[in-house]
Amino acid sequence: IGTPYVHGQKQFTRENMEWLQYYQVLKLNDRFLLKTDGGYRWRNTFQNNSQYIIRTGLGYRFGDRNSLSAGFAHLGFFKEDTLRTFEYRPYQEFGMNDIYIKLKIQHRFRIEERFFQTISTGSTSFNFRFRYRLFMSYSLFRWEKQELMLNLGDEIFLNAGKDIVYNVFDQNRLFAGMAFKFNKDIAVSLTYTKEVGASNAPNSYKNNNIFWLGIKHRIDLKKKPE
């Protein structure tokens, strides 16, 4: 349960959250990738369950810096440690990458079709969500196969649909963290995220501090030259 406070006419709920996420990129060939991730999220220093997510999608790279992806995610949301809501989420995205010596810049545009189901009643709802993420990674130190990187970024989320009234602006995530690559295939990152967002109720907002541990795993199935 978050801590409420009032600023002007707006009521904010503030929570500390902990996220654990595993990301896998399966390189099928020079153009196609299978991207899968799964994660679990807690509130209040691991005291309360928040949600889980399982997601997979097929990506296609074209040119030196562009990619297209489409996939599907399944999520479960908890309230008072009871699983209350399921979400079924197809998505499509377009990505662009630029590299300037030690700096890598990524742009990601994603569209999500969000189908919600309340477990106890079976009632459903639907809305679209549009996301844009700017992600920057700077190489601080490299030694043989190991690399230490500084990550900075921001992501904005916008909602659309007949059920969206007060939260066309869904949320904004501002993040900063460090990542360590053990080799070209395995990396671990620790990220702090400041999440500010709106709920679908008048003058009701969230202000969350998130600590996010990510594990990234790349597997290359492309046949190696003999």
Side-chain angles (χ1 to χ4, degrees):
I1 301 174
T3 302
Y5 66 96
V6 177
H7 180 73
Q9 298 298 316
K10 299 176 180 179
Q11 179 172 335
F12 285 82
T13 300
R14 179 167 52 203
E15 291 185 317
N16 294 320
M17 305 183 74
E18 299 78 37
W19 295 2
L20 175 64
Q21 200 97 357
Y22 169 77
Y23 304 87
Q24 183 188 95
V25 175
L26 191 64
K27 186 176 181 181
L28 303 176
N29 52 45
D30 288 334
R31 294 298 181 187
F32 286 96
L33 307 169
L34 184 64
K35 299 185 287 187
T36 303
D37 67 281
Y40 206 88
R41 300 174 182 180
W42 296 265
R43 297 187 180 96
N44 306 314
T45 320
F46 300 100
Q47 293 184 42
N48 306 109
N49 296 307
S50 177
Q51 69 183 79
Y52 68 79
I53 180 171
I54 304 169
R55 178 170 42 204
T56 190
L58 184 65
Y60 174 74
R61 296 175 54 190
F62 60 99
D64 295 330
R65 52 191 291 263
N66 302 320
S67 65
L68 290 171
S69 300
F72 182 85
H74 169 66
L75 299 88
F77 298 89
F78 295 85
K79 185 175 182 181
E80 298 176 350
D81 277 341
T82 300
L83 187 60
R84 299 291 180 90
T85 306
F86 289 136
E87 180 185 351
Y88 307 95
R89 183 195 296 176
Y91 72 91
Q92 305 81 39
E93 70 178 41
F94 170 68
M96 295 187 300
N97 297 326
D98 288 303
I99 299 177
Y100 305 95
I101 308 176
K102 291 186 176 183
L103 177 64
K104 183 177 182 180
I105 300 176
Q106 297 176 320
H107 302 272
R108 187 182 73 185
F109 304 85
R110 178 180 286 179
I111 301 174
E112 298 172 332
E113 298 81 35
R114 309 182 73 194
F115 299 85
F116 295 95
Q117 179 184 24
T118 302
I119 296 173
S120 59
T121 64
S123 60
T124 60
S125 63
F126 169 80
N127 69 271
F128 291 97
R129 189 164 70 175
F130 304 91
R131 302 169 58 167
Y132 166 68
R133 187 187 73 172
L134 172 65
F135 181 84
M136 296 176 288
S137 182
Y138 183 79
S139 179
L140 297 172
F141 175 79
R142 179 179 292 175
W143 182 75
E144 294 185 354
K145 296 181 180 181
Q146 289 79 45
E147 187 175 10
L148 180 65
M149 295 167 292
L150 172 66
N151 294 333
L152 299 170
D154 187 79
E155 186 168 17
I156 187 168
F157 301 66
L158 300 174
N159 290 318
K162 64 181 181 64
D163 295 325
I164 302 300
V165 180
Y166 300 101
N167 59 334
V168 173
F169 165 71
D170 181 47
Q171 61 183 274
N172 189 81
R173 293 177 185 169
L174 180 66
F175 50 89
M178 306 289 289
F180 182 77
K181 293 178 68 174
F182 293 92
N183 52 51
K184 65 182 181 65
D185 296 325
I186 299 176
V188 175
S189 62
L190 182 62
T191 304
Y192 167 74
T193 301
K194 185 68 172 180
E195 181 183 72
V196 178
S199 63
N200 202 12
N203 299 317
S204 180
Y205 299 86
K206 60 185 178 182
N207 187 351
N208 297 329
N209 297 304
I210 301 167
F211 294 92
W212 188 345
L213 178 64
I215 302 169
K216 296 184 178 181
H217 186 196
R218 178 179 176 273
I219 302 173
D220 190 348
L221 294 184
K222 188 177 67 171
K223 186 177 180 179
K224 302 294 188 300
E226 296 180 0

